[in-house]
Amino acid sequence: MTSRSRVSGWAFLAPVVVYLGAFYAYPLYRNLDLSLRHYTVRSFVQGDAPFNGLDNYRTVLADPTFWPALAHTLVFTAASLAAQFAIGLALAVFFNRHFPLAATLRALFLVPWLLPLIVSASTWSWMLNSDSGIVNAALGQVGIGPVNWLTSPDWALTSVIVANIWIGIPFNLVVLYSGLQAIPAHLYEAAALDGATGRQQFWRITFPLLRPVSLITLLLGLVYTLKVFDIIWIMTRGGPNGASTTLATWSYRLGFGNLLPEFGPGAAVGNLLIVLALVAGLVYIRTQR
């Protein structure tokens, strides 16, 4: 390779390197630095926060909020992923049959994905309102009393999970439907000639050949769901009494939700979320091998 070709290669690579450095590497470095120092509002502005090592992480792990928040994060993520993937896959298989108006209906299913999250979360807050929500009104028509969806510790986490599932289904539908389009049709024709039922074709052809697409769909969904903040914050603010608090909402509350912000512990919680996402990525790479 000539020196001119080498310079040209670096010139094409430079914008990507600058972008990754400015918007990924530097913020990660700053977040790590925040988590290793004792920041106050004054020191945050002046930049003279003392180094305190892992004290912020010890503070976070010893806080009584940590373990419930971690459990809520895991439940929220697992339930959302399982339901989004299962419903998205079912819809993808359904629309893969190419019936009239299939394209129109598929486009309508994309609406939750296209709406701003603040609109979606506000709509669900109105629907699940204890006094004037349409869900309780519908339950009242069949003789079921009102449910405090957003203000009861028993229902708050379930409510935000349902809203997040609704928002995430279109993503799973689009990606899995694209994967279905790549499966050769002659495989289904051959299976039908051999007498395979629709269920057998799904488990013997569709599901195995969708495995690579399914894995990347689940990985992307996992990374996104771990850091979901806006839906929960708008609907319940992590309450009541921490019943729907996740690591993402707790991190925000530590850093920005108090009169005396705790920047160091808030950054430490954020870094724990990054570690969880990194572990998921490593599991995905291992699975691909």
Side-chain angles (χ1 to χ4, degrees):
M1 179 182 292
T2 64
S3 58
R4 184 173 181 178
S5 300
R6 190 177 298 109
V7 170
S8 298
W10 279 109
F12 280 108
L13 190 61
V16 177
V17 174
V18 172
Y19 173 80
L20 292 176
F23 295 101
Y24 287 90
Y26 181 71
L28 285 174
Y29 161 74
R30 286 294 296 149
N31 199 63
L32 181 61
D33 181 69
L34 275 172
S35 70
L36 298 176
R37 296 181 181 275
H38 178 65
Y39 273 96
T40 61
V41 176
R42 183 190 63 81
S43 61
F44 186 81
V45 175
Q46 297 181 354
D48 57 349
F51 181 81
N52 64 355
L54 299 177
D55 286 352
N56 289 324
Y57 291 92
R58 297 189 187 97
T59 300
V60 165
L61 294 175
D63 195 297
T65 305
F66 173 74
W67 291 108
L70 177 61
H72 296 158
T73 301
L74 297 178
V75 171
F76 179 83
T77 303
S80 296
L81 280 182
Q84 289 171 355
F85 181 80
I87 299 174
L89 179 57
L91 289 172
V93 173
F94 174 73
F95 285 117
N96 197 42
R97 298 178 182 275
H98 304 293
F99 55 89
L101 296 179
T104 302
L105 291 175
R106 193 168 65 248
L108 291 176
F109 270 98
L110 296 181
V111 172
W113 195 25
L114 300 176
L115 288 175
L117 288 176
I118 188 171
V119 174
S120 300
S122 299
T123 301
W124 276 98
S125 295
W126 168 74
M127 292 173 58
L128 297 175
N129 185 277
S130 301
D131 300 321
S132 58
I134 190 173
V135 174
N136 276 347
L139 292 177
Q141 295 298 317
V142 294
I144 300 177
V147 178
N148 296 320
W149 298 104
L150 304 178
T151 57
S152 169
D154 297 328
W155 289 103
L157 184 61
T158 301
S159 300
V160 295
I161 288 174
V162 170
N164 189 62
I165 290 172
W166 180 79
I167 293 171
I169 287 174
F171 171 77
N172 287 261
L173 168 60
V174 169
V175 178
L176 294 172
Y177 179 80
S178 300
L180 288 175
Q181 297 298 296
I183 299 178
H186 66 81
L187 295 178
Y188 294 104
E189 295 171 358
L193 290 174
D194 289 337
T197 63
R199 179 177 298 182
Q200 290 173 330
Q201 291 180 28
F202 175 81
W203 289 111
R204 301 293 180 87
I205 299 175
T206 304
F207 197 73
L209 293 181
L210 269 183
R211 183 171 177 268
V213 178
S214 299
L215 288 176
I216 192 63
T217 303
L218 290 171
L219 175 64
L220 293 176
L222 175 63
V223 173
Y224 169 79
T225 308
L226 279 174
K227 61 183 182 64
V228 166
F229 157 77
D230 30 26
I231 300 169
I232 301 174
W233 191 258
I234 292 171
M235 293 182 65
T236 65
R237 293 187 176 271
N241 298 324
S244 59
T245 294
T246 62
L247 293 179
T249 58
W250 187 35
S251 176
Y252 176 83
R253 190 167 66 244
L254 286 172
F256 304 100
N258 299 314
L259 293 176
L260 295 176
E262 301 177 73
F263 296 115
V269 175
N271 286 331
L272 293 177
L273 274 175
I274 294 175
V275 171
L276 289 176
L278 180 62
V279 170
L282 294 176
V283 171
Y284 169 75
I285 293 174
R286 180 66 178 177
T287 304
Q288 287 295 87
R289 290 180 179 177

